[in-house]
Amino acid sequence: MRIFSGIQPTGAKHLGNYAGGFRQYATTQDQGEAFFCIVDLHSISVEYDPADLRERTLDLLAILIATGLDPERSTIFAQSHVTAHTEANWLLATVTSFGELRRMTQFKDKADAQQFVSAALFTYPVLQAGDILLYQTDIVPVGVDQRQHVELTRNVAERFNSRFGETFTLPRAVYPETGAKVMDLQEPEKKMSTTGGTEQGTVLMLDSPDVIRKKFKTAVTDSGREIVHASDKPGVSNLIEIMTVATGDSIDEVQARYAGEGYGTLKTDVAEAVVSLLQPFQDRFRELRSDPGELQRTLARGAEKAREASAPTIAAMFDRMGFVGRR
Ligand code: TRP
């Protein structure tokens, strides 16, 4: 079974990314032949800084390895290193309709946040479809926000297959089953996010222990005093969810453990649980990040594997679309 996921190198990674993404990847790689693509080409579809992109790309590779991905077992690579991705983007754009792209809600949301709305932001889902289809992917582990993009990928694949002959496996999205939703500590009605949330309410995976403690200490809680997971208690529910992420305990277990305790105790304990969760990760991250040369060699090896895996698909695409052989 082929598994493919893409992760953007921009934006500081936070606890929500850990719960809904990084935590899953390490277990995913045991289920089949896994490809993890650092989608640097996607990241330039909005305003960005080139020096920052370079640093963040190496950061993300170190984060992926430090959270448990094994570059020997999985293929971890940068999208820009495998030219088949940009080629597939153009070819697939011819079997994607303007109307389909115009319906993408992520485009509408992201476009609203930009002064300059690039054409690349609009065609972003075509590049993503190519990422997935080039590897004959069966399963795409993503957040629910990517549902529409994976649906589009299936439609594009079906259209290509019926027009030019069976070429692509139809991929299926899989969403994190634990369902832990990590919300902003200051505004617990909002998802934790470096773009949409508050700074004080967003716990970064690379925050120091003291910063983490401070953020939890100032987390908003709710009226009443009972520690229960309930819809009218978004703040406390969020702290409980974060505790389950950090310790692996269930919501019921956490509730039972804190029966009769106050909000203050819960906040302190969640902070310590998160510090303990992140400490070994941060140590490993720093060790890896101190050797950028080795990280680049790891990416080069990943790119080689990815080129080999995608070569038959891109060749078949050109061939079936009627291009004269290139060799
Ligand atoms: N669009 C995805 C996101 O924002 C990132 C992505 C790019 C991706 N290509 C992909 C995810 C291919 C899964 C498969 O999260």
Side-chain angles (χ1 to χ4, degrees):
M1 189 177 67
R2 284 265 176 96
I3 302 157
F4 186 101
S5 198
I7 310 109
Q8 294 225 31
T10 39
K13 300 304 175 195
H14 54 76
L15 213 51
N17 298 131
Y18 173 78
F22 297 109
R23 184 166 63 140
Q24 259 71 239
Y25 301 146
T27 50
T28 301
Q29 76 181 345
D30 299 329
Q31 296 164 1
E33 194 186 346
F35 294 81
F36 295 95
C37 181
I38 299 177
V39 292
D40 47 5
L41 295 169
H42 275 109
S43 291
I44 67 169
S45 58
V46 292
E47 177 95 39
Y48 80 104
D49 171 40
D52 190 55
L53 178 64
R54 206 168 278 129
E55 293 307 310
R56 295 293 191 188
T57 299
L58 295 178
D59 280 354
L60 179 55
L61 175 62
I63 291 175
L64 288 168
I65 298 172
T67 48
L69 282 192
D70 176 357
E72 299 303 317
R73 190 142 47 117
S74 301
T75 300
I76 314 175
F77 69 106
Q79 191 184 30
S80 64
H81 291 181
V82 181
T83 53
H85 289 254
T86 43
E87 295 172 327
N89 179 47
W90 181 253
L91 301 185
L92 293 176
T94 65
V95 286
T96 309
S97 75
F98 179 79
E100 274 175 318
L101 290 176
R102 200 170 41 184
R103 283 195 293 276
M104 295 293 117
T105 56
Q106 195 169 70
F107 169 72
K108 293 181 212 165
D109 295 344
K110 286 194 178 181
D112 281 344
Q114 296 296 316
Q115 277 204 348
F116 177 82
V117 179
S118 69
L121 187 63
F122 188 66
T123 60
Y124 175 119
V126 183
L127 182 63
Q128 180 166 351
D131 296 342
I132 297 168
L133 298 176
L134 277 174
Y135 298 87
Q136 303 296 339
T137 302
D138 300 291
I139 279 178
V140 188
V142 278
V144 284
D145 64 321
Q146 295 300 310
R147 184 189 297 270
Q148 229 187 357
H149 289 165
V150 180
E151 262 321 296
L152 177 78
T153 301
R154 291 174 61 93
N155 293 338
V156 166
E158 279 182 319
R159 198 172 294 133
F160 189 103
N161 285 348
S162 72
R163 176 142 172 227
F164 299 110
E166 280 303 311
T167 305
F168 300 124
T169 304
L170 291 191
R172 190 165 60 82
V174 294
Y175 310 105
E177 25 189 292
T178 56
K181 258 206 300 201
V182 176
M183 312 301 278
D184 190 284
L185 297 182
Q186 293 295 318
E187 296 175 8
E189 327 46 58
K190 282 193 196 155
K191 256 175 48 171
M192 189 176 283
S193 152
T194 47
T195 46
T198 69
E199 203 178 316
Q200 182 70 7
T202 303
V203 180
L204 303 182
M205 288 173 71
L206 292 167
D207 272 344
S208 71
D210 280 345
V211 169
I212 294 173
R213 290 188 184 105
K214 224 168 274 158
K215 286 180 177 174
F216 279 101
K217 198 172 193 135
T218 55
V220 306
T221 44
D222 313 290
S223 56
R225 38 188 318 165
E226 252 196 301
I227 296 178
V228 286
H229 193 284
S231 57
D232 61 341
K233 291 200 168 208
V236 172
S237 300
N238 189 32
L239 292 172
I240 295 174
E241 295 249 3
I242 293 173
M243 189 63 127
T244 68
V245 170
T247 60
D249 293 340
S250 69
I251 291 176
D252 286 343
E253 284 167 332
V254 177
Q255 281 182 162
R257 188 141 36 91
Y258 286 92
E261 299 282 356
Y263 290 163
T265 311
L266 176 65
K267 284 203 229 178
T268 321
D269 289 3
V270 177
E272 291 316 314
V274 170
V275 168
S276 312
L277 169 76
L278 293 180
Q279 196 78 70
F281 154 75
Q282 293 187 354
D283 293 345
R284 182 87 178 101
F285 172 85
R286 273 188 212 103
E287 191 183 307
L288 290 159
R289 196 61 183 84
S290 68
D291 191 351
E294 180 56 26
L295 289 173
Q296 293 203 32
R297 283 190 289 281
T298 303
L299 281 180
R301 282 195 297 274
E304 212 168 301
K305 288 198 273 175
R307 267 181 225 119
E308 207 173 295
S310 57
T313 307
I314 192 72
M317 288 168 73
F318 274 112
D319 183 49
R320 287 175 197 166
M321 290 181 86
F323 292 96
V324 172
R326 290 190 294 174
R327 64 183 89 233

